[in-house]
Structures are given as C-alpha cells and as structure tokens.
Amino acid sequence: MHQPHAHHAHAHDWVHVLRARALRATAQRVAVLDFLHHHPHSDAEAIFQGIRPALPTVSVQAVHLIVQDLSGNGLVRRISLPDSASARYETRIDDNHHHVQCIACGRIEDIDCAVGEKPCLNPSDTHGMRILEASIVFRGICRDCDTGASERSQTP
Ligand SMILES: [Zn+2]
Ligand SMILES: [Zn+2]
Ligand SMILES: [Zn+2]
C-alpha cells in the first residue's frame, strides 16, 4: 500500500495529503499543517495564534482537536519534552529524529538520529517487551543563554 509522504508536501499539497488519509481537507486542518510545516515544535496555543489572523473563527479548542486528530492519523508527530508544559507538534514524521531543548529559554532543535532506526538504544533488560522506540530528549543550554548567564555572573 502506498503511503502519502507528508515530509515532501509543500503548502499546496496538504489537501492531497489529508484526502489520501480520507480526512476532509478543511481550511483549519490545512492551516494547522501549513503552520506546523513552517513552525515545527509549536504547541496548540502557538498554532492558534499563528493561524487566527487568516481564520478569525478558529478557537484554541478547535486547534487542540485538530492536532489530536492529525497525530492520531499519523500526519503530525506529537512530542513531549521535559522542559515544555504543553505538547508540541511537527510535520517531520518520517524519521526517528530526536530533540534538544535549552533548559533556560526552551528553544527546541531537531537532531538526526545517529543510528537511524528505532530503537536506537538497546535496553539491558526488555522485561519481555517488544521494544518499539527509545524516547530520547537532549537537554542543554543554548549559546545565547550560556553567554547571557556568564555575562550576568561577571557583573558585580
Ligand atoms: Zn536558550
Ligand atoms: Zn522535530
Ligand atoms: Zn537515535
């Protein structure tokens, strides 16, 4: 069975991507996908703020339902990060990439998996489970925050 390749989709392809999953290509769904494509790792609130100018009738509740729906259908990936209170979403769904997040400012960047396939860590004991993936999040401090902190500590 041929799966649509969402990662190759440009803005004008979202209608096709949605229809290929038998989802109605509503203006709100297309707007959410397009926004996430250009602003990866956004939470529902940020998506809402981003698409509201073009879609004044959209509500934050509607955005929550749309991202749930899209992640349930495998069109977006939902990520939970230890230093983010809310779930983030992205359209880069085709690989096993990881994330690094700055613990100071919350900035999130993609990191290609060094191994490539899931799971990229082998557990010492699987407890009889078939391991699907290792959820890996790198935590760090970005250069801007690091520089800011050392400048502040030098101030008497
Ligand atoms: Zn930072
Ligand atoms: Zn990502
Ligand atoms: Zn990996």
Side-chain angles (χ1 to χ4, degrees):
M1 196 178 81
H2 179 75
Q3 291 291 325
H5 293 278
H7 58 291
H8 291 143
H10 301 291
H12 58 274
D13 290 329
W14 293 119
V15 170
H16 171 81
V17 168
L18 285 161
R19 286 184 183 153
R21 300 287 173 113
L23 292 171
R24 262 195 331 125
T26 64
Q28 295 193 356
R29 281 178 177 154
V30 170
V32 167
L33 284 165
D34 191 48
F35 182 83
L36 279 177
H37 193 64
H38 293 101
H39 305 87
H41 318 125
S42 297
D43 63 11
E45 178 66 30
I47 299 167
F48 168 65
Q49 298 295 347
I51 67 173
R52 191 162 58 157
L55 296 167
T57 60
V58 76
S59 66
V60 71
Q61 289 84 355
V63 171
H64 276 286
L65 290 175
I66 290 168
V67 287
Q68 259 174 44
D69 206 34
L70 294 176
S71 67
N73 280 282
L75 291 179
V76 301
R77 178 175 164 196
R78 182 185 195 275
I79 49 174
S80 303
L81 300 174
D83 294 300
S84 294
S86 44
R88 309 290 183 129
Y89 299 89
E90 65 184 343
T91 56
R92 184 177 165 183
I93 53 169
D94 56 313
D95 63 4
N96 182 39
H97 75 272
H98 306 299
H99 296 99
V100 61
Q101 184 173 30
C102 173
I103 62 164
C105 70
R107 177 180 154 194
I108 301 162
E109 300 292 344
D110 285 337
I111 296 181
D112 289 344
C113 180
V115 176
E117 288 106 46
K118 299 177 185 184
C120 52
L121 279 179
N122 288 311
S124 56
D125 185 351
T126 64
H127 296 276
M129 296 194 201
R130 187 164 58 86
I131 299 303
L132 301 173
E133 65 172 339
S135 176
I136 297 165
V137 176
F138 298 93
R139 301 174 74 224
I141 297 182
C142 75
R143 198 169 290 142
D144 288 352
C145 292
D146 221 7
T147 310
S150 57
E151 275 168 6
R152 275 193 300 281
S153 66
Q154 279 161 20
T155 319

